[in-house]
Amino acid sequence: MNEVLRRALYSANLTAQDLAAKLLVDPKTADRWVRGNLPHPHSRAALTQLLGVDEEVLWPELRKLAESRRSSAEIAGIYPRRTTIGQKGWLRFFESAESEIGILAYSALFLAEDARIVGMLRAKSRTVRVRIALGAPDSASVIERGAEEDIGEAMPAKIRNSLALLEPLLREEGVELRLHDTVLYNSIYRSDGDLLVNQHAYGIPAAQSPMYHYRQSAQSEMFDSYAASFEAVWAKSEVRPVR
């Protein structure tokens, strides 16, 4: 039973039958509305005008439905593992950038080891701003993440390996490098209005953890949250020379 609609009808001195007659619908349809069925949009508009009550007051579920649809539209893809994307997927992702590329991770070694991706990033850096934030090899957060993944000193070594492999890219004028000592709950990869967010799960390597693809829109709350997180880490990270 839609108690709000029932009370609104009572206040307007109307019955379900009166409602059916005024809106030119079957009395059974009007009765189903009172019993809780959600009317079609054009019928909702006529009801709100007739009763002088806002839609979201008569049908509070509409707000949740709208939020759900916005969230679904914002999620462009879900991958069970980072490795599901593959080289071609990463190339397409970064190649689509026209103004900004961002990489926030501990090591991003899988990108640094791929000469084709590094070469493409190097070419893009001549017209696109490229920002890379990796973990400071000797920081407490990197050591802790190495322990969580049960790889110990391999984590700082992976970062140093990435820095060495990325050296040709880092020499480009359009590329900025910073090293952070932040505990990352996810790695974030940006290409203009698209974000790939790699979840970090305790004891699970990032390569085997889920990846979410978020797309920016006028009402993209999740995209905006992760983009703000990227900027927060970037702001507190240090510009350091590559050794």
Side-chain angles (χ1 to χ4, degrees):
M1 183 68 70
N2 186 333
E3 290 293 341
V4 178
L5 177 57
R6 188 182 65 80
R7 288 195 298 271
L9 286 171
Y10 180 81
S11 297
N13 199 27
L14 295 172
T15 65
Q17 288 73 24
D18 296 331
L19 188 62
K22 287 181 178 295
L23 298 188
L24 302 177
V25 299
D26 190 295
K28 292 181 179 179
T29 299
D31 187 61
R32 284 195 291 268
W33 292 344
V34 177
R35 291 181 179 277
N37 280 24
L38 182 67
H40 291 298
H42 69 277
S43 297
R44 294 201 301 268
L47 270 166
T48 56
Q49 185 175 0
L50 175 64
L51 299 174
V53 182
D54 291 340
E55 269 196 359
E56 291 186 356
V57 175
L58 291 173
W59 303 283
E61 65 269 28
L62 287 176
R63 178 174 295 178
K64 292 181 180 179
L65 183 61
E67 290 174 353
S68 174
R69 286 174 177 169
R70 284 199 298 270
S71 297
S72 298
E74 189 177 353
I75 300 175
I78 300 175
Y79 305 90
R81 299 175 305 281
R82 190 188 70 201
T83 53
T84 308
I85 297 178
Q87 184 197 57
K88 291 183 179 178
W90 285 102
L91 285 169
R92 284 195 301 269
F93 178 73
F94 287 125
E95 282 176 342
S96 68
E98 296 181 355
S99 60
E100 179 176 4
I101 288 174
I103 296 171
L104 169 62
Y106 280 121
S107 72
L109 183 58
F110 74 101
L111 294 177
E113 288 178 327
D114 194 314
R116 188 176 175 188
I117 291 177
V118 173
M120 182 271 295
L121 290 174
R122 193 174 181 184
K124 294 292 287 187
S125 71
R126 286 150 197 165
T127 56
V128 172
R129 183 189 187 190
V130 178
R131 293 186 293 168
I132 302 173
L134 302 181
D138 298 321
S139 67
S141 60
V142 166
I143 294 170
E144 182 178 354
R145 183 59 187 173
E148 289 175 358
E149 290 192 16
D150 200 24
I151 60 174
E153 288 299 317
M155 181 61 77
K158 287 171 64 177
I159 296 171
R160 293 188 178 95
N161 195 11
S162 284
L163 292 172
L165 291 169
L166 291 172
E167 188 174 354
L169 171 63
L170 299 175
R171 286 199 297 264
E172 294 292 335
E173 188 174 341
V175 179
E176 302 169 65
L177 169 71
R178 294 188 182 184
L179 300 181
H180 66 82
D181 60 0
T182 308
V183 175
L184 294 183
Y185 301 104
N186 41 66
S187 299
I188 300 174
Y189 306 89
R190 181 169 188 171
S191 176
D192 291 345
D194 288 272
L195 287 179
L196 288 174
V197 179
N198 190 186
Q199 302 298 305
H200 289 184
Y202 185 90
I204 307 297
Q208 301 304 318
S209 295
M211 178 82 81
Y212 291 82
H213 183 178
Y214 298 101
R215 183 157 291 150
Q216 189 176 29
S217 68
Q219 297 175 315
S220 52
E221 295 182 12
M222 291 182 287
F223 178 98
D224 293 344
S225 293
Y226 284 114
S229 178
F230 183 103
E231 296 300 335
V233 177
W234 183 259
K236 66 176 293 187
S237 300
E238 294 186 25
V239 180
R240 300 185 190 176
V242 180
R243 296 181 181 179

